[in-house]
């Protein structure tokens, strides 16, 4: 009987590694850029918001925005964009975020880049997205560095330039952004903008995996089953597949099922294999669905 092998998590098309920030949660967003040591309208507003003193927070954000404080403009814009503690008004939200971006606030610039890239509330315009990503990236904002790298890799909004893509992905990766670390792994595995290097590819996939990035965890499992860029080790493969599978990643669930079915890296256990196949199949994983049909046919 042929022992089935794990299904590789295919190297993602570069457009799919663009980070999605459009559905941003406001409380998370303000936490990212709060923390000034001195008191002002903005930091007082953040404190009030966190304490659920929403009317006071809104008043303070409005006061800050009236003084052209870009942080307050951006925060207030996000409130209107998402309809948080105010009536949703995406046009007004966009106006405020654009003001913050024009005042040089990197997070607003990156956010505008995402809106223009996706065509969310504005006419889709990759060139404009690229412009805003660039303005934020030169301010060392990791998310913008990453997005700019993706634009260069895609050749959207600018010429395709893998060397520039590597440059910006590396900057974001060095800022510990797991998506960028995974992206570098992809670039090294394909030899795009760099000499193909399986060890470097595994290094960057590993960095992302250790931060809990699901695709990277699954990818490390695949690399250990193959011995690509790392020494072949089925037990370590099971470890990485398990980490991603337990978080609900269907490809890892399927791959973990394969490991239990074949007894690679762990004791063979058909019941556990079937359980993982079922979890993956329930998410629409076609390989798992086919595997379950095959197993039912044998019984």
């Amino acid at each position: 009987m042929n022992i089935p092998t794990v299904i590789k998590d295919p190297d993602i098309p570069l457009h799919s590694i663009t980070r999605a920030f459009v559905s941003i949660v406001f409380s998370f967003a303000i936490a990212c850029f709060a923390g000034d040591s001195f008191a002002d309208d903005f930091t007082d507003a953040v404190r009030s918001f966190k304490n659920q003193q929403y009317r006071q927070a809104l008043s303070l954000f409005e006061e800050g925005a009236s003084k052209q404080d870009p942080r307050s403009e951006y925060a207030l814009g996000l409130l209107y964009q998402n309809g948080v503690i105010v009536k949703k008004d995406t046009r007004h939200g966009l106006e405020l975020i654009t003001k913050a971006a024009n005042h040089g606030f990197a997070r607003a610039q990156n956010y505008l880049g995402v809106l223009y890239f996706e065509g969310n509330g504005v006419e889709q315009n990759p060139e404009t997205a690229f412009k805003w990503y660039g303005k934020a990236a030169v301010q060392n904002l990791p998310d913008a560095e990453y997005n700019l790298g993706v634009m260069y890799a895609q050749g959207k909004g600018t010429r395709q330039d893998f060397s520039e893509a590597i440059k910006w992905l590396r900057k974001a990766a060095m800022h510990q952004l797991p998506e960028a670390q995974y992206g570098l792994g992809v670039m090294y595995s394909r030899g795009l903008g760099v000499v193909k290097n399986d060890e470097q590819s595994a290094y960057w996939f590993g960095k992302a995996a250790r931060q809990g990035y699901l695709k990277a965890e699954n990818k490390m499992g695949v690399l250990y089953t193959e011995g690509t860029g790392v020494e072949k080790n089925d037990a370590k493969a099971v470890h990485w597949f398990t980490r991603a599978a337990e978080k609900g990643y269907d490809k890892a669930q399927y791959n973990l099922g394969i490991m239990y079915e074949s007894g690679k890296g762990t004791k063979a256990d058909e019941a556990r294999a079937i359980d993982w196949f079922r979890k993956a199949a329930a998410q629409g994983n076609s390989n798992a669905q086919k595997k379950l049909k095959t197993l039912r046919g044998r019984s």
Side-chain angles (χ1 to χ4, degrees), residues 174-209:
M174 294 301 286
H175 285 135
Q176 307 306 314
L177 197 68
E179 292 88 345
Q181 293 167 341
Y182 185 83
L184 273 183
V186 171
M187 300 294 273
Y188 273 105
S189 71
R190 295 182 178 182
L192 299 176
V194 290
V195 176
K196 188 177 186 301
N197 188 314
D198 289 337
E199 288 73 24
Q200 276 293 301
S201 178
Y203 170 80
W204 287 110
F205 284 136
K207 293 272 282 186

Side-chain angles (χ1 to χ4, degrees), residues 208-221:
R210 285 188 288 277
Q211 291 201 68
Y213 192 61
L214 292 180
K215 288 185 176 181
E217 290 175 333
N218 183 65
K219 187 69 175 182
M220 288 305 296

Side-chain angles (χ1 to χ4, degrees), residues 35-57:
D36 299 289
S37 58
F38 54 88
D40 59 10
D41 292 328
F42 176 76
T43 52
D44 287 345
V46 170
R47 190 176 301 110
S48 296
F49 187 91
K50 288 181 176 179
N51 291 333
Q52 299 183 4
Q53 298 169 321
Y54 298 131
R55 185 173 297 179
Q56 182 177 344

Side-chain angles (χ1 to χ4, degrees), residues 10-17 145-155 159-171 173 178-205 219 223:
D11 287 340
I12 52 177
L14 290 172
H15 67 82
S16 72
I17 62 175
E145 292 169 341
Y146 171 74
N147 287 336
L148 190 64
V150 172
M151 296 293 276
Y152 273 117
Q154 291 179 335
R159 70 191 186 283
Q160 188 173 55
D161 188 329
F162 292 130
S163 294
E164 281 293 306
I166 286 287
K167 168 187 167 182
W168 290 106
L169 287 174
R170 192 181 301 279
K171 284 178 179 286
E179 292 88 345
Q181 293 167 341
Y182 185 83
L184 273 183
V186 171
M187 300 294 273
Y188 273 105
S189 71
R190 295 182 178 182
L192 299 176
V194 290
V195 176
K196 188 177 186 301
N197 188 314
D198 289 337
E199 288 73 24
Q200 276 293 301
S201 178
Y203 170 80
W204 287 110
F205 284 136
K219 187 69 175 182
L223 294 183

Side-chain angles (χ1 to χ4, degrees), residues 270-284:
E270 187 170 292
R272 294 186 76 174
I274 290 172
D275 184 54
W276 285 114
F277 291 145
R278 282 175 175 163
K279 289 179 189 296
Q283 296 190 67

Side-chain angles (χ1 to χ4, degrees), residues 68-105:
Q68 297 189 332
D69 170 33
R71 302 165 305 165
S72 296
E73 291 171 335
Y74 178 55
L76 193 59
L78 288 176
L79 289 176
Y80 279 104
Q81 278 266 305
N82 294 281
V84 177
I85 73 172
V86 293
K87 184 178 180 180
K88 188 171 183 176
D89 187 337
T90 55
R91 178 176 294 182
H92 186 43
L94 179 63
E95 289 173 354
L96 287 163
I97 291 168
T98 302
K99 283 183 179 180
N102 284 325
H103 288 146
F105 192 53

Side-chain angles (χ1 to χ4, degrees), residues 6 28 70 81 102 109 170 184 187 206 225 236 238 241 246 258 294 296:
V6 299
F28 174 76
Q81 278 266 305
N102 284 325
Q109 292 167 339
R170 192 181 301 279
L184 273 183
M187 300 294 273
T225 64
K236 287 185 177 180
V238 169
F241 287 145
E246 288 180 344
I258 291 295
T294 300
R296 281 197 292 268

